[in-house]
Amino acid sequence: AQSVTQLDSQVPVFEEAPVELRCNYSSSVSVYLFWYVQYPNQGLQLLLKYLSGSTLVESINGFEAEFNKSQTSFHLRKPSVHISDTAEYFCAVSEGGATNKLIFGTGTLLAVQP
Amino acid sequence: EAQVTQNPRYLITVTGKKLTVTCSQNMNHEYMSWYRQDPGLGLRQIYYSMNVEVTDKGDVPEGYKVSRKEKRNFPLILESPSPNQTSLYFCASSLLWQGAPTGELFFGEGSRLTVL
């Protein structure tokens, strides 16, 4: 069965510093991978996705994630964070099929400090 | 504006008092789903619906009911709420592609429920 692991429950970082949020998954078949972001008191929003093709995917606000099949990872990175990036970030995986069910990780709180 | 609307956003109730959390989307999405979010557990799927009159259990369906009589609405019903159903609830929707949800979910803003 597929599962998603986000080992870091919280990542504190200073403004303008780089950050990496880690995501590992387990699955025996091809997967689709997603990062969702949840700003305070809001619902989740899709940040970026990997479906096929280039293993490096980017969002419009400077985040990127790289699909690494051998490491079964989909880490999220940003070279320079802003205060406004403070949010909880969820990694999710699906295996396609009839229901294409999304399995979410437990989330990582990115806390950007001035 | 494309959106998923949930009501109420906040609710405090007592054990055993039936309640309904409404969810409505204006994007003509076939797929709708309910999740609960608990600290340290992430999001867990309660029920989902692939289309009108088509619903199925997710990972944690016990104590919940749903219905899908119209495409835009997907209410979550707690017939006899208990304290372990205290949680943050999210409704989400998406299009279908080749008969399956795309994985690109649109979420409501959440409903925080407290059962005393």
Side-chain angles (χ1 to χ4, degrees), chain B residues 46-105:
Chain B
I46 303 171
Y47 269 94
Y48 65 94
S49 170
M50 300 289 274
N51 216 322
V52 176
E53 304 290 4
V54 181
T55 63
D56 209 344
K57 296 177 180 179
D59 298 313
V60 288
E62 295 77 19
Y64 305 94
K65 286 175 56 178
V66 294
S67 69
R68 188 90 181 273
K69 292 180 169 48
E70 303 166 285
K71 195 172 187 178
R72 64 184 293 125
N73 296 323
F74 190 44
L76 179 69
I77 304 156
L78 286 73
E79 293 270 3
S80 183
S82 62
N84 65 11
Q85 293 179 296
T86 292
S87 187
L88 179 58
Y89 292 87
F90 287 101
C91 181
S93 70
S94 83
L95 291 167
L96 296 182
W97 184 71
Q98 294 187 343
T102 64
E104 299 180 41
L105 295 174

Short mmCIF file of all heavy atoms in Angstrom, two decimals, chain B residues 46-105:
data_model
loop_
_atom_site.label_atom_id
_atom_site.label_comp_id
_atom_site.label_asym_id
_atom_site.label_seq_id
_atom_site.Cartn_x
_atom_site.Cartn_y
_atom_site.Cartn_z
N ILE B 46 -12.87 10.69 4.47
CA ILE B 46 -14.04 10.13 5.15
C ILE B 46 -14.95 9.43 4.14
O ILE B 46 -15.25 8.24 4.28
CB ILE B 46 -14.82 11.24 5.88
CG1 ILE B 46 -13.90 11.98 6.86
CG2 ILE B 46 -16.02 10.65 6.61
CD1 ILE B 46 -14.54 13.23 7.46
N TYR B 47 -15.42 10.17 3.17
CA TYR B 47 -16.26 9.66 2.09
C TYR B 47 -15.91 10.42 0.82
O TYR B 47 -15.38 11.53 0.87
CB TYR B 47 -17.75 9.90 2.39
CG TYR B 47 -18.45 8.78 3.11
CD1 TYR B 47 -18.56 8.78 4.50
CD2 TYR B 47 -19.02 7.73 2.40
CE1 TYR B 47 -19.22 7.76 5.15
CE2 TYR B 47 -19.68 6.69 3.06
CZ TYR B 47 -19.77 6.72 4.43
OH TYR B 47 -20.43 5.71 5.10
N TYR B 48 -16.24 9.82 -0.31
CA TYR B 48 -16.09 10.51 -1.57
C TYR B 48 -17.24 10.17 -2.50
O TYR B 48 -17.97 9.20 -2.27
CB TYR B 48 -14.74 10.19 -2.23
CG TYR B 48 -14.55 8.76 -2.66
CD1 TYR B 48 -14.85 8.35 -3.95
CD2 TYR B 48 -14.03 7.82 -1.77
CE1 TYR B 48 -14.65 7.04 -4.36
CE2 TYR B 48 -13.83 6.51 -2.16
CZ TYR B 48 -14.15 6.12 -3.45
OH TYR B 48 -13.97 4.81 -3.83
N SER B 49 -17.36 10.97 -3.55
CA SER B 49 -18.44 10.77 -4.52
C SER B 49 -17.90 11.04 -5.92
O SER B 49 -17.30 12.09 -6.16
CB SER B 49 -19.60 11.72 -4.22
OG SER B 49 -20.55 11.70 -5.27
N MET B 50 -18.12 10.09 -6.82
CA MET B 50 -17.64 10.24 -8.19
C MET B 50 -18.66 10.97 -9.06
O MET B 50 -18.31 11.46 -10.15
CB MET B 50 -17.33 8.87 -8.78
CG MET B 50 -16.27 8.10 -8.02
SD MET B 50 -14.61 8.79 -8.22
CE MET B 50 -14.11 7.95 -9.72
N ASN B 51 -19.91 11.01 -8.60
CA ASN B 51 -20.94 11.74 -9.36
C ASN B 51 -22.25 11.67 -8.58
O ASN B 51 -22.31 11.08 -7.49
CB ASN B 51 -21.11 11.16 -10.76
CG ASN B 51 -21.40 12.24 -11.80
OD1 ASN B 51 -22.13 13.20 -11.52
ND2 ASN B 51 -20.85 12.09 -12.98
N VAL B 52 -23.29 12.24 -9.11
CA VAL B 52 -24.58 12.26 -8.44
C VAL B 52 -25.03 10.83 -8.14
O VAL B 52 -24.93 9.95 -8.99
CB VAL B 52 -25.63 12.97 -9.32
CG1 VAL B 52 -27.01 12.90 -8.67
CG2 VAL B 52 -25.23 14.42 -9.55
N GLU B 53 -25.48 10.63 -6.89
CA GLU B 53 -25.97 9.34 -6.41
C GLU B 53 -24.89 8.26 -6.36
O GLU B 53 -25.22 7.08 -6.18
CB GLU B 53 -27.15 8.85 -7.26
CG GLU B 53 -28.33 9.81 -7.34
CD GLU B 53 -29.09 9.93 -6.02
OE1 GLU B 53 -28.68 9.33 -5.01
OE2 GLU B 53 -30.10 10.67 -6.00
N VAL B 54 -23.62 8.62 -6.48
CA VAL B 54 -22.53 7.65 -6.41
C VAL B 54 -21.58 8.06 -5.28
O VAL B 54 -20.83 9.03 -5.41
CB VAL B 54 -21.74 7.55 -7.73
CG1 VAL B 54 -20.63 6.51 -7.60
CG2 VAL B 54 -22.67 7.23 -8.89
N THR B 55 -21.65 7.35 -4.15
CA THR B 55 -20.79 7.67 -3.01
C THR B 55 -20.11 6.40 -2.52
O THR B 55 -20.60 5.29 -2.74
CB THR B 55 -21.58 8.29 -1.84
OG1 THR B 55 -22.54 7.33 -1.35
CG2 THR B 55 -22.32 9.55 -2.28
N ASP B 56 -18.97 6.59 -1.84
CA ASP B 56 -18.25 5.43 -1.32
C ASP B 56 -17.43 5.83 -0.10
O ASP B 56 -17.11 7.01 0.09
CB ASP B 56 -17.33 4.83 -2.39
CG ASP B 56 -17.14 3.34 -2.20
OD1 ASP B 56 -17.45 2.82 -1.09
OD2 ASP B 56 -16.68 2.67 -3.13
N LYS B 57 -17.11 4.83 0.71
CA LYS B 57 -16.38 5.08 1.95
C LYS B 57 -14.90 5.37 1.66
O LYS B 57 -14.30 4.78 0.75
CB LYS B 57 -16.47 3.85 2.86
CG LYS B 57 -17.87 3.54 3.33
CD LYS B 57 -17.89 2.27 4.17
CE LYS B 57 -19.30 1.95 4.64
NZ LYS B 57 -19.35 0.70 5.43
N GLY B 58 -14.36 6.26 2.49
CA GLY B 58 -12.93 6.49 2.48
C GLY B 58 -12.26 5.66 3.56
O GLY B 58 -12.68 4.53 3.84
N ASP B 59 -11.27 6.25 4.21
CA ASP B 59 -10.50 5.52 5.22
C ASP B 59 -11.12 5.54 6.60
O ASP B 59 -10.89 4.64 7.40
CB ASP B 59 -9.08 6.09 5.29
CG ASP B 59 -8.34 5.94 3.98
OD1 ASP B 59 -8.39 4.83 3.42
OD2 ASP B 59 -7.72 6.92 3.53
N VAL B 60 -11.88 6.59 6.92
CA VAL B 60 -12.44 6.72 8.27
C VAL B 60 -13.93 7.09 8.21
O VAL B 60 -14.35 8.13 8.68
CB VAL B 60 -11.66 7.77 9.10
CG1 VAL B 60 -10.29 7.23 9.48
CG2 VAL B 60 -11.52 9.09 8.33
N PRO B 61 -14.78 6.20 7.67
CA PRO B 61 -16.19 6.56 7.48
C PRO B 61 -17.10 6.38 8.70
O PRO B 61 -18.23 6.86 8.69
CB PRO B 61 -16.61 5.58 6.39
CG PRO B 61 -15.78 4.36 6.66
CD PRO B 61 -14.44 4.90 7.14
N GLU B 62 -16.60 5.70 9.74
CA GLU B 62 -17.48 5.36 10.87
C GLU B 62 -18.01 6.62 11.54
O GLU B 62 -17.26 7.52 11.92
CB GLU B 62 -16.72 4.50 11.89
CG GLU B 62 -16.29 3.13 11.39
CD GLU B 62 -15.06 3.20 10.49
OE1 GLU B 62 -14.34 4.22 10.54
OE2 GLU B 62 -14.84 2.24 9.73
N GLY B 63 -19.33 6.65 11.73
CA GLY B 63 -19.97 7.76 12.41
C GLY B 63 -20.41 8.89 11.49
O GLY B 63 -20.95 9.88 11.95
N TYR B 64 -20.19 8.72 10.19
CA TYR B 64 -20.53 9.75 9.21
C TYR B 64 -21.45 9.18 8.13
O TYR B 64 -21.44 8.00 7.84
CB TYR B 64 -19.27 10.30 8.53
CG TYR B 64 -18.23 10.82 9.46
CD1 TYR B 64 -17.17 10.02 9.88
CD2 TYR B 64 -18.28 12.14 9.92
CE1 TYR B 64 -16.20 10.49 10.74
CE2 TYR B 64 -17.30 12.62 10.77
CZ TYR B 64 -16.27 11.79 11.18
OH TYR B 64 -15.31 12.27 12.02
N LYS B 65 -22.24 10.07 7.54
CA LYS B 65 -23.03 9.75 6.36
C LYS B 65 -22.88 10.89 5.37
O LYS B 65 -22.58 12.03 5.75
CB LYS B 65 -24.51 9.58 6.72
CG LYS B 65 -24.86 8.30 7.43
CD LYS B 65 -26.34 8.28 7.84
CE LYS B 65 -27.28 8.48 6.70
NZ LYS B 65 -28.71 8.41 7.12
N VAL B 66 -23.10 10.59 4.10
CA VAL B 66 -23.09 11.62 3.07
C VAL B 66 -24.23 11.35 2.10
O VAL B 66 -24.83 10.27 2.09
CB VAL B 66 -21.76 11.65 2.28
CG1 VAL B 66 -20.60 12.08 3.15
CG2 VAL B 66 -21.49 10.29 1.63
N SER B 67 -24.52 12.33 1.29
CA SER B 67 -25.46 12.15 0.18
C SER B 67 -25.02 13.03 -0.97
O SER B 67 -24.33 14.03 -0.79
CB SER B 67 -26.89 12.51 0.61
OG SER B 67 -27.01 13.91 0.85
N ARG B 68 -25.40 12.64 -2.18
CA ARG B 68 -25.06 13.44 -3.38
C ARG B 68 -26.29 13.43 -4.29
O ARG B 68 -26.38 12.69 -5.25
CB ARG B 68 -23.85 12.82 -4.08
CG ARG B 68 -23.33 13.70 -5.21
CD ARG B 68 -22.29 14.67 -4.77
NE ARG B 68 -21.81 15.53 -5.82
CZ ARG B 68 -20.80 15.24 -6.65
NH1 ARG B 68 -20.22 14.06 -6.59
NH2 ARG B 68 -20.42 16.12 -7.56
N LYS B 69 -27.21 14.28 -3.95
CA LYS B 69 -28.45 14.37 -4.73
C LYS B 69 -28.33 15.35 -5.89
O LYS B 69 -29.07 15.28 -6.87
CB LYS B 69 -29.61 14.77 -3.83
CG LYS B 69 -29.99 13.69 -2.81
CD LYS B 69 -31.15 14.12 -1.95
CE LYS B 69 -31.72 12.99 -1.13
NZ LYS B 69 -30.72 12.20 -0.42
N GLU B 70 -27.42 16.29 -5.75
CA GLU B 70 -27.16 17.27 -6.81
C GLU B 70 -25.65 17.30 -7.03
O GLU B 70 -24.88 17.05 -6.11
CB GLU B 70 -27.63 18.66 -6.40
CG GLU B 70 -29.08 18.76 -6.02
CD GLU B 70 -29.33 20.09 -5.32
OE1 GLU B 70 -28.96 20.23 -4.15
OE2 GLU B 70 -29.89 21.00 -5.97
N LYS B 71 -25.26 17.68 -8.22
CA LYS B 71 -23.84 17.68 -8.55
C LYS B 71 -23.05 18.66 -7.69
O LYS B 71 -21.91 18.39 -7.31
CB LYS B 71 -23.65 18.03 -10.03
CG LYS B 71 -22.29 17.72 -10.59
CD LYS B 71 -22.28 17.92 -12.09
CE LYS B 71 -20.99 17.45 -12.71
NZ LYS B 71 -21.00 17.60 -14.18
N ARG B 72 -23.62 19.80 -7.37
CA ARG B 72 -22.86 20.83 -6.68
C ARG B 72 -22.78 20.64 -5.18
O ARG B 72 -21.93 21.22 -4.53
CB ARG B 72 -23.47 22.20 -7.00
CG ARG B 72 -24.90 22.38 -6.50
CD ARG B 72 -25.46 23.73 -6.94
NE ARG B 72 -24.75 24.82 -6.27
CZ ARG B 72 -24.16 25.82 -6.92
NH1 ARG B 72 -24.16 25.88 -8.23
NH2 ARG B 72 -23.55 26.78 -6.26
N ASN B 73 -23.64 19.82 -4.59
CA ASN B 73 -23.71 19.72 -3.12
C ASN B 73 -23.32 18.35 -2.60
O ASN B 73 -23.70 17.32 -3.19
CB ASN B 73 -25.13 20.05 -2.64
CG ASN B 73 -25.53 21.47 -2.94
OD1 ASN B 73 -24.71 22.38 -2.87
ND2 ASN B 73 -26.79 21.68 -3.29
N PHE B 74 -22.61 18.34 -1.48
CA PHE B 74 -22.14 17.08 -0.89
C PHE B 74 -22.12 17.25 0.63
O PHE B 74 -21.06 17.41 1.24
CB PHE B 74 -20.76 16.74 -1.44
CG PHE B 74 -20.26 15.35 -1.12
CD1 PHE B 74 -21.09 14.25 -1.24
CD2 PHE B 74 -18.95 15.15 -0.71
CE1 PHE B 74 -20.63 12.97 -0.97
CE2 PHE B 74 -18.47 13.88 -0.44
CZ PHE B 74 -19.32 12.79 -0.56
N PRO B 75 -23.26 17.18 1.29
CA PRO B 75 -23.30 17.39 2.74
C PRO B 75 -22.74 16.22 3.53
O PRO B 75 -22.88 15.06 3.12
CB PRO B 75 -24.80 17.58 3.02
CG PRO B 75 -25.47 16.83 1.90
CD PRO B 75 -24.59 16.99 0.70
N LEU B 76 -22.12 16.55 4.66
CA LEU B 76 -21.60 15.55 5.59
C LEU B 76 -22.51 15.54 6.82
O LEU B 76 -22.74 16.58 7.42
CB LEU B 76 -20.17 15.91 6.01
CG LEU B 76 -19.49 14.98 7.01
CD1 LEU B 76 -19.19 13.63 6.36
CD2 LEU B 76 -18.20 15.61 7.54
N ILE B 77 -23.00 14.37 7.17
CA ILE B 77 -23.97 14.24 8.25
C ILE B 77 -23.36 13.44 9.39
O ILE B 77 -22.83 12.34 9.17
CB ILE B 77 -25.24 13.53 7.74
CG1 ILE B 77 -25.82 14.30 6.55
CG2 ILE B 77 -26.28 13.40 8.87
CD1 ILE B 77 -26.67 13.47 5.64
N LEU B 78 -23.45 14.00 10.59
CA LEU B 78 -23.07 13.27 11.80
C LEU B 78 -24.36 12.99 12.56
O LEU B 78 -24.94 13.89 13.16
CB LEU B 78 -22.09 14.08 12.64
CG LEU B 78 -20.65 14.19 12.14
CD1 LEU B 78 -20.55 15.12 10.93
CD2 LEU B 78 -19.73 14.67 13.25
N GLU B 79 -24.82 11.75 12.49
CA GLU B 79 -26.12 11.40 13.08
C GLU B 79 -26.10 11.52 14.61
O GLU B 79 -27.04 12.00 15.22
CB GLU B 79 -26.50 9.98 12.68
CG GLU B 79 -26.78 9.79 11.20
CD GLU B 79 -28.25 10.01 10.85
OE1 GLU B 79 -29.03 10.38 11.75
OE2 GLU B 79 -28.61 9.83 9.69
N SER B 80 -25.01 11.07 15.22
CA SER B 80 -24.90 11.10 16.68
C SER B 80 -23.44 11.42 17.03
O SER B 80 -22.67 10.51 17.34
CB SER B 80 -25.33 9.76 17.28
OG SER B 80 -25.27 9.82 18.69
N PRO B 81 -23.09 12.69 16.97
CA PRO B 81 -21.68 13.06 17.15
C PRO B 81 -21.11 12.62 18.51
O PRO B 81 -21.84 12.62 19.53
CB PRO B 81 -21.70 14.58 17.04
CG PRO B 81 -22.95 14.91 16.31
CD PRO B 81 -23.94 13.85 16.71
N SER B 82 -19.84 12.27 18.49
CA SER B 82 -19.13 11.92 19.73
C SER B 82 -17.86 12.76 19.82
O SER B 82 -17.39 13.31 18.81
CB SER B 82 -18.79 10.43 19.73
OG SER B 82 -17.92 10.13 18.66
N PRO B 83 -17.29 12.87 21.01
CA PRO B 83 -16.10 13.73 21.19
C PRO B 83 -14.94 13.37 20.26
O PRO B 83 -14.16 14.25 19.88
CB PRO B 83 -15.74 13.52 22.66
CG PRO B 83 -17.06 13.26 23.31
CD PRO B 83 -17.82 12.42 22.32
N ASN B 84 -14.82 12.09 19.87
CA ASN B 84 -13.71 11.74 18.98
C ASN B 84 -13.92 12.23 17.54
O ASN B 84 -13.05 12.02 16.68
CB ASN B 84 -13.43 10.23 19.00
CG ASN B 84 -14.57 9.40 18.46
OD1 ASN B 84 -15.52 9.92 17.87
ND2 ASN B 84 -14.48 8.08 18.64
N GLN B 85 -15.04 12.86 17.29
CA GLN B 85 -15.26 13.48 15.99
C GLN B 85 -14.94 14.98 16.01
O GLN B 85 -15.14 15.68 15.01
CB GLN B 85 -16.69 13.25 15.52
CG GLN B 85 -16.97 11.78 15.21
CD GLN B 85 -18.39 11.53 14.77
OE1 GLN B 85 -19.35 11.74 15.53
NE2 GLN B 85 -18.56 11.08 13.54
N THR B 86 -14.43 15.44 17.13
CA THR B 86 -13.90 16.80 17.20
C THR B 86 -12.71 16.89 16.25
O THR B 86 -11.74 16.14 16.38
CB THR B 86 -13.46 17.15 18.63
OG1 THR B 86 -14.62 17.22 19.46
CG2 THR B 86 -12.71 18.47 18.67
N SER B 87 -12.79 17.79 15.28
CA SER B 87 -11.77 17.83 14.24
C SER B 87 -12.00 19.03 13.34
O SER B 87 -12.98 19.76 13.47
CB SER B 87 -11.83 16.53 13.41
OG SER B 87 -10.75 16.46 12.49
N LEU B 88 -11.09 19.19 12.39
CA LEU B 88 -11.22 20.18 11.33
C LEU B 88 -11.58 19.42 10.05
O LEU B 88 -10.84 18.52 9.64
CB LEU B 88 -9.91 20.95 11.16
CG LEU B 88 -9.85 22.02 10.06
CD1 LEU B 88 -10.92 23.08 10.28
CD2 LEU B 88 -8.46 22.66 10.05
N TYR B 89 -12.69 19.78 9.46
CA TYR B 89 -13.21 19.06 8.30
C TYR B 89 -13.07 19.89 7.03
O TYR B 89 -13.35 21.09 7.02
CB TYR B 89 -14.69 18.72 8.51
CG TYR B 89 -14.89 17.70 9.60
CD1 TYR B 89 -15.02 18.09 10.94
CD2 TYR B 89 -14.94 16.34 9.30
CE1 TYR B 89 -15.20 17.15 11.93
CE2 TYR B 89 -15.12 15.39 10.30
CZ TYR B 89 -15.24 15.80 11.61
OH TYR B 89 -15.41 14.87 12.60
N PHE B 90 -12.64 19.21 5.97
CA PHE B 90 -12.50 19.86 4.67
C PHE B 90 -13.29 19.11 3.61
O PHE B 90 -13.23 17.89 3.52
CB PHE B 90 -11.03 19.92 4.24
CG PHE B 90 -10.22 20.90 4.99
CD1 PHE B 90 -9.39 20.50 6.02
CD2 PHE B 90 -10.29 22.25 4.67
CE1 PHE B 90 -8.63 21.42 6.72
CE2 PHE B 90 -9.53 23.18 5.37
CZ PHE B 90 -8.71 22.77 6.40
N CYS B 91 -13.98 19.89 2.79
CA CYS B 91 -14.61 19.37 1.58
C CYS B 91 -13.71 19.74 0.40
O CYS B 91 -13.08 20.81 0.40
CB CYS B 91 -15.99 20.01 1.43
SG CYS B 91 -16.90 19.46 -0.02
N ALA B 92 -13.65 18.86 -0.58
CA ALA B 92 -12.81 19.12 -1.76
C ALA B 92 -13.51 18.60 -3.00
O ALA B 92 -14.35 17.70 -2.92
CB ALA B 92 -11.45 18.47 -1.60
N SER B 93 -13.14 19.16 -4.15
CA SER B 93 -13.73 18.70 -5.41
C SER B 93 -12.68 18.71 -6.51
O SER B 93 -11.65 19.39 -6.40
CB SER B 93 -14.92 19.58 -5.80
OG SER B 93 -14.49 20.88 -6.20
N SER B 94 -12.96 17.95 -7.55
CA SER B 94 -12.09 17.99 -8.72
C SER B 94 -12.84 17.47 -9.95
O SER B 94 -13.90 16.85 -9.84
CB SER B 94 -10.82 17.16 -8.51
OG SER B 94 -11.05 15.78 -8.76
N LEU B 95 -12.26 17.74 -11.10
CA LEU B 95 -12.77 17.17 -12.33
C LEU B 95 -12.39 15.70 -12.40
O LEU B 95 -11.53 15.22 -11.66
CB LEU B 95 -12.15 17.90 -13.54
CG LEU B 95 -12.59 19.34 -13.76
CD1 LEU B 95 -11.66 20.01 -14.77
CD2 LEU B 95 -14.03 19.38 -14.26
N LEU B 96 -13.04 14.98 -13.27
CA LEU B 96 -12.62 13.63 -13.61
C LEU B 96 -11.86 13.68 -14.93
O LEU B 96 -12.18 14.48 -15.81
CB LEU B 96 -13.82 12.70 -13.75
CG LEU B 96 -14.67 12.42 -12.52
CD1 LEU B 96 -15.79 11.44 -12.85
CD2 LEU B 96 -13.82 11.90 -11.38
N TRP B 97 -10.87 12.82 -15.04
CA TRP B 97 -10.15 12.68 -16.30
C TRP B 97 -10.03 11.18 -16.59
O TRP B 97 -9.50 10.44 -15.76
CB TRP B 97 -8.77 13.32 -16.23
CG TRP B 97 -8.03 13.28 -17.54
CD1 TRP B 97 -8.30 13.99 -18.66
CD2 TRP B 97 -6.91 12.45 -17.85
NE1 TRP B 97 -7.41 13.67 -19.66
CE2 TRP B 97 -6.55 12.73 -19.19
CE3 TRP B 97 -6.17 11.51 -17.15
CZ2 TRP B 97 -5.50 12.10 -19.83
CZ3 TRP B 97 -5.11 10.89 -17.78
CH2 TRP B 97 -4.78 11.18 -19.11
N GLN B 98 -10.58 10.78 -17.70
CA GLN B 98 -10.65 9.34 -18.04
C GLN B 98 -11.31 8.57 -16.90
O GLN B 98 -10.89 7.47 -16.56
CB GLN B 98 -9.26 8.79 -18.34
CG GLN B 98 -8.65 9.41 -19.59
CD GLN B 98 -7.34 8.76 -20.00
OE1 GLN B 98 -6.72 8.05 -19.21
NE2 GLN B 98 -6.92 9.00 -21.23
N GLY B 99 -12.34 9.19 -16.31
CA GLY B 99 -13.16 8.51 -15.32
C GLY B 99 -12.63 8.55 -13.91
O GLY B 99 -13.29 8.04 -13.00
N ALA B 100 -11.46 9.16 -13.68
CA ALA B 100 -10.90 9.20 -12.33
C ALA B 100 -10.60 10.64 -11.94
O ALA B 100 -10.32 11.48 -12.81
CB ALA B 100 -9.62 8.37 -12.26
N PRO B 101 -10.67 10.98 -10.66
CA PRO B 101 -10.32 12.34 -10.24
C PRO B 101 -8.88 12.66 -10.60
O PRO B 101 -8.01 11.79 -10.57
CB PRO B 101 -10.53 12.32 -8.71
CG PRO B 101 -10.57 10.89 -8.34
CD PRO B 101 -11.07 10.14 -9.52
N THR B 102 -8.64 13.92 -10.93
CA THR B 102 -7.33 14.30 -11.46
C THR B 102 -6.24 14.37 -10.40
O THR B 102 -5.07 14.38 -10.74
CB THR B 102 -7.41 15.67 -12.16
OG1 THR B 102 -7.77 16.65 -11.16
CG2 THR B 102 -8.45 15.67 -13.26
N GLY B 103 -6.62 14.47 -9.15
CA GLY B 103 -5.62 14.68 -8.10
C GLY B 103 -5.43 16.15 -7.78
O GLY B 103 -4.83 16.49 -6.76
N GLU B 104 -5.93 17.01 -8.64
CA GLU B 104 -5.85 18.45 -8.38
C GLU B 104 -7.14 18.85 -7.67
O GLU B 104 -8.14 19.18 -8.29
CB GLU B 104 -5.69 19.20 -9.69
CG GLU B 104 -4.43 18.84 -10.43
CD GLU B 104 -4.28 19.61 -11.73
OE1 GLU B 104 -4.59 20.81 -11.75
OE2 GLU B 104 -3.88 18.98 -12.73
N LEU B 105 -7.09 18.80 -6.36
CA LEU B 105 -8.27 19.06 -5.55
C LEU B 105 -8.42 20.53 -5.21
O LEU B 105 -7.42 21.22 -4.96
CB LEU B 105 -8.20 18.26 -4.25
CG LEU B 105 -8.23 16.74 -4.38
CD1 LEU B 105 -7.99 16.10 -3.02
CD2 LEU B 105 -9.56 16.28 -4.95
#
